[in-house]
Amino acid sequence: MTETESIAYDVVVLGAGPVGENVADRTRAAGLSTAIVESELVGGECSYWACMPSKALLRPVIARADALRLPGLSQAVQGPLDTPAVLARRDDFTAHWKDDGQVRWVEGIGADLYRGHGRLAGPRTVTVTGADGSVRTLTARHAVAVSTGTRALLPDLPGLAEVKPWTSREATSAKAAPGRLIVVGGGVVATEMATAWQALGSQVTVLVRGKGLLPRMEPFAGELVAEALTDAGVEVRTGTSVESVARENGAVVVVTAAGDRIEADEILFATGRVPHTDDIGLDTVGLEPASWLAVDDSLRVTGTDWLYAVGDVNHRALLTHQGKYQARIAGAAIAARAAGDPVRAEAWGPYTATADHHAVPQVVFTDPEAAAVGLSLAEAEQAGYRVRAVDVEFSSVAGASLYGDGYKGRARMVVDLEDEVLRGVTFVGPGVGELIHSATVAVAGQVPVSRLWHAVPSYPTISEVWLRLLETYRG
């Protein structure tokens, strides 16, 4: 290993996923020289193993489900999906796991890309070890931003490594549908991948340790998704823990805590994420390796004046869009501090990631879709708000009936009875992913219910659910 050079920048970014790219974009836009370091593919998890490939797999599934609800069209889509064609389109969306286009984008904003393993080597210092063993030392005049994301958490089960289980990466990049697939977990990855692979030809069994699916959302979200998965042919077992797993004659064999034996061709563990911070030199700056990085609302790591942790690594909101939002905030804060300008910690200000606390939106691309922003009823009550939940069935909305026969779904808004603003909104139903931004605007903007009454939804759209919710609240 030989050290070849040392170069100074205003900002050094560890990780060239969407979050790191956005930090670099904002600091470059402010005129700060910026280096960005990546050990894998530029574009990160979202581009190659998460958001883009998973949604490419799911889009034909959802489109067919919608078509099946429409007389005059349903007969034309009765057959199975063309799985090879779906996988080929997925491959196109990942650019066949090549990052040339993303590299050109980085070059286009004027940032310098360093390929290799980046590690902190003391305050404001990063070493980059290339594939050839060469080492470059990068120093940052103003800031280092850690945007290395997370990786899948696998349970501590004997023999698991020999089984070669799927994580989210294998589930989104598989070249063929397994005949039988066991999915362990009940969250977003579990429900989305169960939806996709069942439709693409796999026989899917979902094993959930808890009482239901999507436990971080309103209970009815998981209930409606579980019902739809079951109707599609997925076997959903709740209250089920995996005791052991092994490969026997090529098959995966799971034994549950209840002693049940389940066989499959592949097994996906969708049981959580851990920070990708185990080997980035945190110990050289007094931080614990493999830890989540606590930050203030400008995304600066607690106890430092130069280190930022942006995106999943800070454990505030493990979502690509929220990480990119944090990147915009962090980039603005870094630029302001570099210029000697004051960075005020005022809520909803340009240097404060307030939405992380009050208005985080998420869409689960199952059929039906589940979309939510802000607090659930239970979370709002735990936070001490005096609230009322208002529920409406989508069957009361003409636009939902037009969208498809037998449209089934539910909407809830959680109203703060003191301020008469919304603390949270949840929609479950076909197509509601495109509806959630209206709720995000209402929650983030703290729009009073009295003013929402004057936001007239177009007829006949699914958005009329807003009118039904407000009518129910007003009585």
Side-chain angles (χ1 to χ4, degrees):
M1 183 181 294
T2 58
E3 185 164 329
T4 56
E5 57 184 313
S6 178
I7 307 174
Y9 289 91
D10 292 322
V11 179
V12 177
V13 181
L14 277 180
V19 176
E21 287 178 326
N22 273 265
V23 173
D25 186 40
R26 292 296 83 210
T27 56
R28 283 298 302 130
L32 300 177
S33 62
T34 302
I36 188 164
V37 182
E38 178 54 55
S39 61
E40 292 189 284
L41 295 175
V42 177
E45 201 78 13
C46 178
S47 298
Y48 306 103
W49 300 287
C51 317
M52 296 308 290
S54 66
K55 303 321 170 269
L57 290 173
L58 286 158
R59 179 62 196 138
V61 178
I62 302 305
R64 184 180 68 165
D66 285 341
L68 286 169
R69 298 183 181 100
L70 294 172
L73 182 57
S74 60
Q75 289 301 315
V77 292
Q78 287 294 326
L81 289 170
D82 184 342
T83 299
V86 174
L87 297 181
R89 185 170 185 263
R90 182 271 319 269
D91 294 351
D92 287 342
F93 270 93
T94 62
H96 299 265
W97 292 274
K98 296 179 181 178
D99 62 2
D100 299 14
Q102 299 268 11
V103 170
R104 286 193 295 272
W105 182 88
V106 171
E107 293 171 344
I109 66 170
D112 290 344
L113 172 65
Y114 291 84
R115 288 191 182 274
H117 182 68
R119 297 182 83 256
L120 293 166
R124 294 185 172 84
T125 304
V126 172
T127 60
V128 184
T129 305
D132 61 357
S134 63
V135 179
R136 291 182 175 90
T137 299
L138 311 179
T139 58
R141 299 181 187 93
H142 299 293
V144 174
V146 176
S147 300
T148 49
T150 59
R151 54 185 172 80
L153 170 65
L154 287 171
D156 185 16
L157 288 172
L160 185 62
E162 289 72 30
V163 171
K164 296 183 178 178
W166 280 9
T167 67
S168 54
R169 283 197 168 194
E170 290 77 19
T172 56
S173 62
K175 300 302 182 184
R180 301 164 299 171
L181 174 65
I182 294 171
V183 177
V184 182
V188 177
V189 172
T191 53
E192 287 189 347
M193 290 299 93
T195 299
W197 289 111
Q198 178 73 28
L200 291 170
S202 300
Q203 178 186 332
V204 177
T205 301
V206 177
L207 307 180
V208 188
R209 184 170 56 184
K211 295 186 292 185
L213 303 180
L214 302 176
R216 295 177 182 238
M217 292 182 132
E218 299 284 10
F220 65 81
E223 292 165 6
L224 288 168
V225 170
E227 181 181 330
L229 283 171
T230 301
D231 289 345
V234 175
E235 182 181 1
V236 179
R237 300 192 187 187
T238 58
T240 302
S241 297
V242 175
E243 189 74 15
S244 68
V245 60
R247 285 267 183 194
E248 296 180 9
N249 300 318
V252 176
V253 178
V254 165
V255 177
T256 71
D260 295 332
R261 177 185 170 98
I262 308 169
E263 291 192 12
D265 299 290
E266 300 292 350
I267 184 168
L268 162 62
F269 280 91
T271 49
R273 310 286 297 181
V274 292
H276 205 206
T277 59
D278 51 313
D279 189 23
I280 62 167
L282 292 182
D283 54 308
T284 70
V285 293
L287 297 171
E288 185 69 28
S291 65
W292 302 102
L293 298 177
V295 296
D296 63 20
D297 279 345
S298 70
L299 291 312
R300 191 166 56 175
V301 174
T302 304
T304 76
D305 63 0
W306 59 275
L307 184 62
Y308 293 72
V310 193
D312 287 5
V313 290
N314 60 42
H315 208 234
R316 285 164 68 109
L318 277 67
L319 296 159
T320 295
H321 50 271
Q322 210 67 22
K324 290 164 72 173
Y325 159 73
Q326 293 177 10
R328 297 190 291 271
I329 299 294
I334 290 168
R337 287 176 175 133
D341 297 334
V343 175
R344 292 181 294 274
E346 57 190 7
W348 306 108
Y351 313 119
T352 308
T354 312
D356 285 351
H357 307 297
H358 302 290
V360 175
Q362 181 173 21
V363 178
V364 185
F365 291 85
T366 46
D367 176 43
E369 291 176 349
V373 63
L375 303 177
S376 67
L377 174 62
E379 289 169 339
E381 290 174 339
Q382 280 184 334
Y385 294 111
R386 190 168 70 88
V387 292
R388 174 187 165 194
V390 181
D391 291 350
V392 167
E393 298 296 322
F394 272 101
S395 57
S396 66
V397 179
S401 299
L402 286 167
Y403 189 93
D405 289 357
Y407 188 108
K408 188 174 183 180
R410 187 180 303 171
R412 168 175 287 182
M413 66 179 189
V414 178
V415 184
D416 185 324
L417 297 175
E418 299 290 343
D419 299 330
E420 283 222 312
V421 297
L422 305 186
R423 294 297 172 190
V425 180
T426 298
F427 299 129
V428 182
V432 298
E434 297 299 336
L435 190 61
I436 196 62
H437 192 60
S438 58
T440 303
V441 171
V443 174
Q446 298 178 327
V447 182
V449 171
S450 60
R451 181 58 62 88
L452 286 173
W453 185 249
H454 295 279
V456 182
S458 298
Y459 180 86
T461 66
I462 300 176
S463 294
E464 270 206 307
V465 72
W466 280 108
L467 180 55
R468 300 286 93 84
L469 286 165
L470 293 167
E471 288 172 336
T472 303
Y473 177 69
R474 290 165 68 99

